[in-house]
Amino acid sequence: MAKDRIVAGQKQEADPEQTGSALRPRMLVDYIGQARLKERLSIALQAVRGRGEPMEHVLLHGPPGLGKTTLAHVIAGEMGTHAFVTSGPALTKAGDLVGLLTKLEARDVLFIDEIHRLPPAVEEYIYPAMEDCQIDFTVDSGMHAKTVTIGLQPFTLIGATTRPGMLTHALRTRFGLSHHISFYPESEIELILQRAAGLMGVIKIKSDSLAALASRSRGTPRVALRLLRRVRDFAAVRADGQFGPGVIADAMELEGVDSLGLDELDRSYLRVIATTYGGGPVGLEAIAATLGEDGGTLEDVVEPYLLQVGFLARTRQGRCLTQAAAEHVGLPWREPQQPSEALFG
Ligand code: ADE
């Protein structure tokens, strides 16, 4: 499955962060990178703490694996409260949301991942909860119907989404703070790896080793930490715990992850455009059919990183391979046959 790839930004069951990891930063000072977001949060947090208010509702958007859940825990840590984590698809009926909201204590954080997938019937209940700390519940129906209002403790909603465009206007405008989280530069991924390696007790690290891992992490902390765990195991079993560039290269080769963090699915995707479709332009569905994968999955889990590293051009006529991509996978390259906006302006 495309989503089980070691380089996937999406959460996986086996990621220890899913069970509340000791590696997760608890306070803003421990959170590496995203300097502007941290500054915005730090100002808002100091201001609301000074006034004795709950933190404003925050909407975080951007690719998966960049630390949106972690930030919810950090915000709760800074407020001295707890974070409760759920997701849009998990809240199938209004009662699921009401159950969560009523157990929150003052200034607690409710984190809703994939908030764009919240069913409309549930979303309706969120508006008065966010605005007036109350939920209006209708009991009975027809002429006996009556509205019961339940009061809530003041709380902070952190919504996370990879698709901010899919949020309703009504929901989007109820967040006091909205911020896009982008991929991390390699230097920051290296710092995240250093911190994690220290906490994991990986002591035999040679200098520069973590840079070799950072460059394969696709700018994504979740991927970086997953690769670190694989290399730690490899080093323990095959290299007496030694953790140098050679060991990293061997471990990554075994995992099928190349020097830029591309895996076999990425390379197959690029090869299909290069060989089956002459470098493009080609439609997503044609690529998906050739690979035997779902088009939506390719769009969500393969294309974002290839676009980010400049290996793929998306034009109105279809997807095109870039020269850099052809060189990386060792295939010949020629100019796409039809004029396309991305290449010819
Ligand atoms: N773990 C995951 N993301 C992190 C970040 N941005 N800083 C520190 N540790 C992290």
Side-chain angles (χ1 to χ4, degrees):
M1 249 291 277
K3 287 203 166 100
D4 298 334
R5 300 187 301 156
I6 192 168
V7 293
Q10 282 77 4
K11 282 180 191 161
Q12 293 171 2
E13 291 281 318
D15 291 338
E17 66 204 61
Q18 301 315 307
T19 47
S21 162
L23 296 187
R24 206 195 276 287
R26 300 274 158 204
M27 304 299 271
L28 267 185
V29 287
D30 303 318
Y31 191 91
I32 294 156
Q34 310 294 342
R36 214 169 66 81
L37 171 59
K38 271 196 306 194
E39 195 174 349
R40 292 183 74 199
L41 289 176
S42 153
I43 289 172
L45 283 161
Q46 276 186 49
V48 296
R49 277 192 307 237
R51 293 194 293 267
E53 292 172 2
M55 172 65 175
E56 287 207 64
H57 303 304
V58 183
L59 179 65
L60 300 170
H61 36 100
L66 302 187
K68 296 191 269 309
T69 317
T70 299
L71 272 170
H73 286 281
V74 165
I75 290 170
E78 291 282 342
M79 294 298 290
T81 59
H82 297 101
F84 295 83
V85 176
T86 185
S87 75
L91 299 171
T92 52
K93 47 190 193 318
D96 299 334
L97 177 70
V98 174
L100 269 174
L101 288 172
T102 48
K103 89 171 179 208
L104 297 180
E105 292 180 13
R107 291 185 285 280
D108 273 352
V109 166
L110 177 63
F111 176 77
I112 306 185
D113 204 4
E114 296 187 80
I115 196 162
H116 60 276
R117 292 177 62 194
L118 206 58
V122 179
E123 185 174 320
E124 217 177 280
Y125 286 88
I126 274 217
Y127 305 148
M130 289 173 83
E131 267 174 6
D132 306 316
C133 293
Q134 65 179 48
I135 11 188
D136 302 316
F137 222 74
T138 307
V139 287
D140 272 344
S141 57
M143 59 184 277
H144 300 292
K146 50 181 181 290
T147 304
V148 178
T149 299
I150 306 172
L152 302 171
Q153 293 293 334
F155 72 101
T156 300
L157 178 67
I158 315 272
T161 179
T162 48
R163 303 255 178 118
M166 282 175 68
L167 248 61
T168 60
H169 178 77
L171 184 56
R172 207 167 37 231
T173 51
R174 280 175 168 85
F175 288 96
L177 250 140
S178 171
H179 200 98
H180 180 78
I181 305 199
S182 8
F183 289 113
Y184 292 64
E186 264 173 50
S187 57
E188 288 177 358
I189 293 286
E190 203 177 330
L191 292 176
I192 291 173
L193 284 167
Q194 259 168 27
R195 176 180 177 275
L199 290 170
M200 281 160 76
V202 183
I203 38 172
K204 295 184 189 166
I205 301 180
K206 293 189 183 146
S207 57
D208 288 356
S209 305
L210 291 176
L213 214 47
S215 65
R216 292 168 157 97
S217 301
R218 306 161 76 105
T220 306
R222 183 178 289 144
V223 174
L225 297 175
R226 214 182 274 145
L227 296 183
L228 179 65
R229 288 192 296 276
R230 291 285 64 76
V231 175
R232 179 183 58 169
D233 290 354
F234 187 92
V237 174
R238 290 276 174 89
D240 189 28
Q242 292 294 328
F243 200 108
V247 174
I248 291 183
D250 291 349
M252 290 296 99
E253 176 153 11
L254 187 63
E255 295 291 341
V257 177
D258 73 19
S259 60
L260 284 181
L262 268 56
D263 73 351
E264 191 45 45
L265 182 58
D266 298 311
R267 291 187 293 267
S268 308
Y269 174 100
L270 295 173
R271 271 196 303 266
V272 163
I273 303 185
T275 53
T276 315
Y277 298 104
V282 53
L284 175 64
E285 289 311 321
I287 306 170
T290 310
L291 279 173
E293 285 283 350
D294 170 66
T297 306
L298 291 180
E299 196 168 13
D300 284 351
V301 308
V302 174
E303 293 189 339
Y305 184 65
L306 298 178
L307 286 162
Q308 156 91 5
V309 293
F311 280 5
L312 182 67
R314 269 174 74 164
T315 72
R316 214 186 289 158
Q317 287 79 18
R319 274 74 172 158
C320 299
L321 201 72
T322 65
Q323 190 168 1
E327 281 166 11
H328 185 74
V329 286
L331 289 164
W333 184 81
R334 59 177 174 70
E335 294 277 345
Q337 280 162 343
Q338 294 168 32
S340 64
E341 282 186 352
L343 294 167
F344 300 99

